[in-house]
Amino acid sequence: MIVIDEKKIFEEIEKRKPVSVALNGPDGIIPKIQETASNVMKKFGIPAYVLADSCFGTCDLNSNGAKVLGAEILFHIGHTINSMSFGDNIILIDAFDDISFENIAKKCATEIKEKTVSLVTDSQHLHEIDKVKKILEESGITVKIGKGKGQLNDGQVFGCEFYPVTETKNIVEANVFLGQSNFHAAGIALSTNIPTYVLDPYFNEVRDVTEFAKKLQKKAILTIYKAAEAETFGIIIGLKEGQFSKVTALKFKKELESIGKKVQLFAITEISDDRLRNLKGIDAFIQVACPRISTDNHFHKPVLSTPQANALLKILKKEGIEGFLQIPHWL
């Protein structure tokens, strides 16, 4: 069950006395956020708006939505980082999943063959990492927890940032991810190129996502080579506040034009195949908003992420692209 730190929310409201607030977080915990919003309205008698658009991380806060509503505080729930706020009006609130990893950790110790692992998780299970480490070590497995960097805590990854596992990849035999998310685990596998397992306490199973990640990598490489045949590129700048990489977009424009390619510039908030089908005369796209948009979705034309676009430029210059995803940050 997801547990939201409502005490922190109540303390901030009591201290700041806002006229209204907004709350948001990832899709999976929206029902719990609804409950918290109702509790705020009952306790304080002020409007508490749930921003119910999809939200994928701290790159996707939707603070503009809160501003349009006149909400004086935006409580962003469920994406823990090593800071509690973004400026004065956005406060990050922890949301922990209280499910136990004890049984699945013991099962992992008997099922995996590797004896040195990097232990990693997402924000909602960080509080379990030390307990799992102890269980694995008691079973004879050497456990490393990589250091965080930027917004990441030690042993934590985002969908596009993998600093703790890239730090340990040369001293361990495998990665072990706590949670249910193949999304995070596949990124871990791709960024380290070593076996990666998911410890899923909900289904009580240890999943090897290594082959799944290899399929994503093959798809990513094929897309790059298809894009290498393009003459006209559409470069897409993401309009979400943490995905606004205009400088990177203009760099790609300059480099592509220098080798004779035509370029059009676009700006989109939600990048989808339906959106791109409206754009005519484009052979391939590069989007600099979120790298997982390109690796995890299907498009009718090549849509490259920043690492893929860097690899494309190498191909066009007759250079190799080995290890283009084996980097700690895919932006």
Side-chain angles (χ1 to χ4, degrees):
M1 183 178 75
I2 297 294
V3 179
I4 293 174
D5 186 2
E6 290 191 355
K7 181 182 177 184
K8 173 71 173 175
I9 294 174
F10 295 163
E11 286 175 351
E12 289 293 332
I13 293 174
E14 286 170 353
K15 180 172 69 176
R16 301 188 184 208
K17 296 180 172 50
V19 174
S20 65
V21 299
L23 306 89
N24 72 343
D27 286 351
I29 67 169
I30 286 293
K32 296 297 295 185
I33 293 175
Q34 288 179 252
E35 291 178 21
T36 296
S38 294
N39 293 339
V40 168
M41 289 192 285
K42 288 175 186 174
K43 185 174 178 65
F44 297 99
I46 61 173
Y49 304 99
V50 177
L51 303 181
D53 284 332
S54 293
C55 176
F56 297 101
T58 51
C59 64
D60 190 11
L61 293 169
N62 199 5
S63 62
N64 187 59
K67 289 177 186 175
V68 169
L69 291 166
E72 295 170 66
I73 304 174
L74 169 59
F75 293 106
H76 181 74
I77 300 169
H79 287 122
T80 301
I81 63 171
N82 61 10
S83 173
M84 290 306 295
S85 67
F86 278 82
D88 293 333
N89 300 321
I90 301 172
I91 298 174
L92 304 185
I93 300 296
D94 289 336
F96 294 116
D97 193 330
D98 63 0
I99 193 166
S100 172
F101 280 79
E102 182 177 354
N103 290 336
I104 192 62
K106 291 177 179 177
K107 187 174 183 180
C108 172
T110 63
E111 289 192 7
I112 68 171
K113 64 182 184 296
E114 291 85 2
K115 293 302 178 185
T116 305
V117 304
S118 181
L119 196 58
V120 64
T121 188
D122 58 13
S123 61
Q124 291 172 24
H125 302 107
L126 266 175
H127 62 295
E128 287 285 318
I129 200 165
D130 289 332
K131 299 175 192 173
V132 174
K133 181 177 186 287
K134 183 179 178 182
I135 291 170
L136 294 179
E137 288 178 335
E138 287 172 348
S139 301
I141 296 174
T142 300
V143 177
K144 305 292 184 182
I145 297 177
K147 295 293 184 183
K149 185 178 179 181
Q151 297 182 26
L152 295 175
N153 294 286
D154 293 353
Q156 180 189 13
V157 294
F158 294 157
C160 64
E161 286 190 58
F162 312 102
Y163 287 103
V165 288
T166 53
E167 181 197 37
T168 60
K169 68 180 182 179
N170 294 324
I171 58 172
V172 301
E173 300 170 82
N175 303 303
V176 173
F177 174 79
L178 308 185
Q180 195 176 29
S181 173
N182 286 346
F183 170 80
H184 288 86
I188 292 165
L190 288 169
S191 67
T192 59
N193 197 35
I194 61 175
T196 300
Y197 300 93
V198 174
L199 269 61
D200 184 344
Y202 307 93
F203 289 95
N204 193 38
E205 68 177 8
V206 180
R207 288 197 300 276
D208 186 343
V209 298
T210 312
E211 288 304 315
F212 170 65
K214 286 179 179 177
K215 289 178 182 177
L216 289 181
Q217 179 168 282
K218 287 177 182 177
K219 173 189 165 191
I221 292 171
L222 179 62
T223 302
I224 295 167
Y225 278 97
K226 285 183 177 178
E229 301 171 0
E231 291 299 324
T232 301
F233 286 83
I235 300 180
I236 304 167
I237 300 163
L239 289 177
K240 294 181 179 181
E241 57 209 290
Q243 299 180 0
F244 186 74
S245 299
K246 187 173 76 172
V247 172
T248 302
L250 294 176
K251 176 181 79 76
F252 284 137
K253 176 180 183 292
K254 182 178 179 180
E255 293 199 40
L256 288 168
E257 288 178 338
S258 72
I259 52 179
K261 304 296 183 181
K262 297 177 182 177
V263 175
Q264 288 190 18
L265 295 172
F266 301 99
I268 302 176
T269 304
E270 296 286 347
I271 300 169
S272 67
D273 193 48
D274 286 343
R275 285 280 90 212
L276 301 192
R277 284 180 181 272
N278 287 329
L279 306 177
K280 305 305 179 184
I282 306 296
D283 301 320
F285 294 91
I286 294 170
Q287 60 82 21
V288 297
C290 167
R292 298 305 293 265
I293 290 172
S294 297
T295 58
D296 293 46
N297 295 286
H298 174 73
F299 294 95
H300 75 291
K301 289 184 178 179
V303 178
L304 307 187
S305 63
T306 295
Q308 287 174 293
N310 285 325
L312 168 71
L313 291 171
K314 287 187 175 184
I315 287 172
L316 295 176
K317 296 172 185 177
K318 311 299 184 186
E319 299 173 7
I321 63 168
E322 296 79 11
F324 72 97
L325 289 176
Q326 293 170 38
I327 51 177
H329 195 175
W330 285 356
L331 290 177

